[in-house]
Amino acid sequence: MNRLIAGSATLVLALAGCSPGGQGPPVETRVVDAREVELLPVTSRFVSVRDVVLDGESIWVLDGAPPFITRVSLRDGTSDQFGGEGQGPGEFLTPWAIQPADGPIDGSIRVWDQGNDRVSTFDPRGNLLGSERLSEDGRIRARTDLRDVSYADPFRVRSTGAELIVGHFPGRIDRTADLVMGSLQRADARLEPGPELTRFVDHMTKSASGLREWAAVPFWDVCEGAVVLWSPVSAEVVWLDLRGEIRARAPVEEKPAPVSLEDIETYLSWMARLELGPDYEDARIDYSSMAKSNRERFAERAPIATDLRCQSGTEAWLRQFDTSSDPLGRGQTWLQISANGTRRKVRFPVGFTPALFTEEGAFGVLE
């Protein structure tokens, strides 16, 4: 049985239309009305979606609570769920990534579990096909609640078919700016690091390597064998081949806005809620004074992007910084940009988080 709790999520399809608009500034924003969000006929509910993968006529959803894995048919909305909590075969503690698996059985998937330090392969019905221990060099050491305190995503795994693309981090990740130590690399299923594609420090400003929150860090994705990278230092979306060679660039042509004291107050209030629990307001914390006294702990200017998802080998989407609906700055407006420079913006309804972009629309989660 799924756990029906406050804040549970439903898989949906937002029919936003994803063809790019005109080139050059100004860029108009297409606002998606909540009535345009089409719910898939799925009875499953999710607690904390970690990853979503489109595979043929099915969508795989990786949740942060059992049952961890759900396979949803796009034809009729029927779903299969599996994956209990534990350390036994086919069980998980902290799964963080899911990708299609190459092998003799079509529709199989791989799941990487940080808690058990292993990768497991399942067929479409949830039968365990095998497990391997993760490479010691490929392990990601990060605070367990990183997703709650940062928009950084060091856990992303993407398949090119023959191999994987992953972020490699030799040190521990406790805050956003810690991504400066990482690099983008090719790897095998055990996440054994292979050839390096690019270093993240080469795409970050010098100030981002400090301890300041809201550092502008790179984000990346893989579509159709192309690696797509957001480079804050040049304010460009960069397309790389699997050797790390740059094949295309597209400037974003937007200036980062200053981080306001209101932004910081919103962030500090969220941190207090995480630390003190649901009764955090009883502490009567003066967030305005706290924001002023801790101003130096935050970046002077907000990052332009807090996530990147690719739609194809030539189309990418950047999630823009905004604290009005999320205290970490994961805004509802996304900038679509193509390798030929065409751009447009789409603002999704509050509560909807896109996970996959296609020509038909954006698949995501509605909270």
Side-chain angles (χ1 to χ4, degrees), residues 257-310:
V259 171
S260 68
L261 288 177
E262 289 77 12
D263 291 327
I264 298 174
E265 289 179 37
T266 301
Y267 176 90
L268 293 174
S269 177
W270 173 247
M271 293 300 108
R273 181 176 181 178
L274 292 177
E275 291 290 334
L276 303 178
D279 297 327
Y280 73 103
E281 293 181 341
D282 295 342
R284 300 184 182 277
I285 299 173
D286 186 349
Y287 296 109
S288 178
S289 297
M290 185 180 291
K292 293 176 182 177
S293 61
N294 288 277
R295 180 64 184 87
E296 72 281 356
R297 295 177 56 189
F298 294 82
E300 290 294 328
R301 292 191 170 273
I304 293 175
T306 57
D307 195 4
L308 178 143
R309 307 276 171 163
C310 56

Side-chain angles (χ1 to χ4, degrees), residues 56-251:
E57 295 185 343
S58 298
I59 286 184
W60 290 94
V61 181
L62 180 64
D63 198 12
F68 293 99
I69 303 174
T70 302
R71 176 177 170 268
V72 181
S73 170
L74 294 180
R75 290 178 295 178
D76 55 15
T78 58
S79 61
D80 298 310
Q81 293 188 297
F82 59 92
E85 187 171 17
Q87 297 177 292
E91 294 180 332
F92 305 97
L93 290 178
T94 316
W96 81 84
I98 185 171
Q99 284 289 285
D102 294 329
I105 302 178
D106 292 338
S108 300
I109 52 103
R110 285 195 184 103
V111 182
W112 287 265
D113 182 13
Q114 184 184 18
N116 284 321
D117 287 327
R118 67 189 179 200
V119 54
S120 300
T121 305
F122 300 87
D123 71 12
R125 306 300 297 181
N127 298 308
L128 179 65
L129 300 179
S131 294
E132 293 183 280
R133 299 291 297 178
L134 296 180
S135 162
E136 184 64 26
D137 291 337
R139 288 182 57 201
I140 297 175
R141 299 165 180 83
R143 58 185 294 174
T144 56
D145 62 345
L146 184 66
R147 298 174 189 268
D148 294 325
V149 300
S150 172
Y151 47 71
D153 182 14
F155 307 109
R156 184 166 294 183
V157 177
R158 291 292 186 262
S159 173
T160 65
E163 57 188 347
L164 302 171
I165 305 296
V166 298
H168 176 60
F169 303 94
R172 181 177 169 82
I173 301 173
D174 290 308
R175 57 184 63 86
T176 305
D178 287 342
L179 266 68
V180 70
M181 70 184 79
S183 61
L184 200 59
Q185 298 192 346
R186 290 151 57 182
D188 61 16
R190 297 178 56 247
L191 304 187
E192 178 67 29
E196 182 179 270
L197 301 183
T198 188
R199 299 187 307 161
F200 290 144
V201 68
D202 295 335
H203 300 279
M204 298 172 68
T205 61
K206 293 182 180 179
S207 61
S209 60
L211 299 180
R212 293 187 175 189
E213 188 50 58
W214 290 329
V217 299
F219 296 97
W220 63 275
D221 204 353
V222 175
C223 284
E224 298 174 356
V227 178
V228 189
L229 178 77
W230 161 244
S231 177
V233 70
S234 62
E236 294 177 314
V237 176
V238 181
W239 281 263
L240 308 171
D241 63 20
L242 297 182
R243 297 186 302 274
E245 299 293 330
I246 295 177
R247 296 307 183 195
R249 299 175 181 267

